[in-house]
Amino acid sequence: MAVTARLAAADFVGSDLISEIVTKGFNKLPDPPSAELAGTLPGRRAISDGRASAALLFVKEGVGDPLAPQGVFFSRYLVANAAAVVIVHKSNAVNQIKLSELKGLFTKEAREVYLNWNDLSDSLLSEMVAPIVFAPPGAFTNELFKGVVLDGYDYRPGVRQNLEWTSINDNLTARFGVVVVAPSMPDGAPGKVVSIADGRPGKSAIAYAPDEMNIYNGDYPLRLPLYLYVRTDREKALRDAITWILSDEFAKNLKDQGLYPAPKAIRDRLSQRLDR
């Protein structure tokens, strides 16, 4: 009940993953809006019920935008994406992989489970698969990968987690069979990032690399968009806060947390639209 009362008074609601950086940024504004970022689900309910003016929400494919109260319309801004990359040993012949194959590498619940790289049709490497998940504090790697690839199932036994990057770096150097899921690949890491194809029924079989535009456009499938929804009747009143959310400072903070902000040219164009 207490949470509901706070949400009723909040201008901004949404994902708790970015609560700290949003709150700190708003506090720098001359007239800071109120914010209660307690999670995507409560934020979704709050803006749909008319108890908030804006929401920063991660939106899973198939879920769709939040419902607007009767007579209310939303403006929608694609602010960033949570994404993950897949890294293999440089000698691994695999340069691209499907979501279904990733599922087979990381969970026993897959239709086909891959324990050796030879199990993959495109692989000539006779080596046991050594799967690793790197999810540093504040990253969205586990939630994203389990939701998009594993359909909510847990990792199979043998998937290593909670490793420091220095240990993962050693694995990428010494073990041919290693495959790592991480928010990004650090500069100088001894591995290679593979392209990913969706491959599900009705989806593209083309593999895309995790570059800025492929992630923003949604071609790279291992991503989850972060949208800003703003009531159109409150957009002018919240213009300073929206402008800050589209700023280079906010983009840098998101990037530092392992997220992928929208390209600068797109953010600048959206900011200019607010001045009309």
Side-chain angles (χ1 to χ4, degrees), residues 59-268:
V59 179
K60 187 177 180 180
E61 182 182 7
V63 174
D65 297 332
L67 297 175
Q70 187 173 2
V72 172
F73 298 93
F74 293 142
S75 293
R76 188 180 75 167
Y77 303 84
L78 179 51
V79 175
N81 284 277
V85 301
V86 176
I87 309 166
V88 298
H89 193 277
K90 286 182 178 179
S91 68
N92 196 323
V94 171
N95 293 309
Q96 61 184 54
I97 199 165
K98 298 176 184 176
L99 292 182
S100 60
E101 292 172 329
L102 283 174
K103 186 175 183 180
L105 291 170
F106 280 85
T107 179
K108 64 180 181 179
E109 309 298 338
R111 180 175 299 178
E112 295 183 74
V113 176
Y114 305 117
L115 301 179
N116 191 294
W117 282 102
N118 271 342
D119 296 334
L120 293 174
S121 59
D122 292 336
S123 177
L124 300 177
L125 180 66
S126 180
E127 189 79 23
M128 292 295 292
V129 175
I132 299 172
V133 177
F134 177 58
F140 206 54
T141 312
N142 273 315
E143 294 84 351
L144 170 65
F145 195 72
K146 286 184 177 181
V148 174
V149 177
L150 305 189
D151 297 325
Y153 291 110
D154 209 344
Y155 301 112
R156 67 175 173 85
V159 176
R160 288 181 296 166
Q161 303 177 65
N162 304 318
L163 297 180
E164 297 293 334
W165 182 259
T166 52
S167 177
I168 296 173
N169 204 66
D170 292 342
N171 275 269
L172 282 168
T173 301
R175 303 186 68 181
F176 294 137
V178 73
V179 54
V180 181
V181 175
S184 62
M185 186 170 79
D187 292 339
K192 66 178 182 180
V193 173
V194 299
S195 299
I196 300 179
D198 193 309
R200 293 173 292 184
K203 299 293 184 179
S204 174
I206 299 173
Y208 291 91
D211 62 39
E212 183 180 57
M213 289 309 300
N214 285 343
I215 291 174
Y216 178 79
N217 291 331
D219 294 322
Y220 182 72
L222 195 46
R223 45 83 81 167
L224 189 67
L226 174 66
Y227 286 108
L228 169 64
Y229 296 90
V230 185
R231 290 176 56 134
T232 54
D233 59 343
R234 292 284 294 155
E235 205 164 19
K236 186 175 180 180
L238 297 174
R239 183 175 60 184
D240 289 348
I242 300 169
T243 299
W244 183 79
I245 288 172
L246 297 171
S247 70
D248 292 344
E249 180 185 358
F250 187 58
K252 181 183 182 303
N253 291 340
L254 291 174
K255 191 172 182 179
D256 289 345
Q257 197 163 329
L259 299 173
Y260 292 76
K264 177 176 172 55
I266 293 172
R267 290 185 284 104
D268 289 347

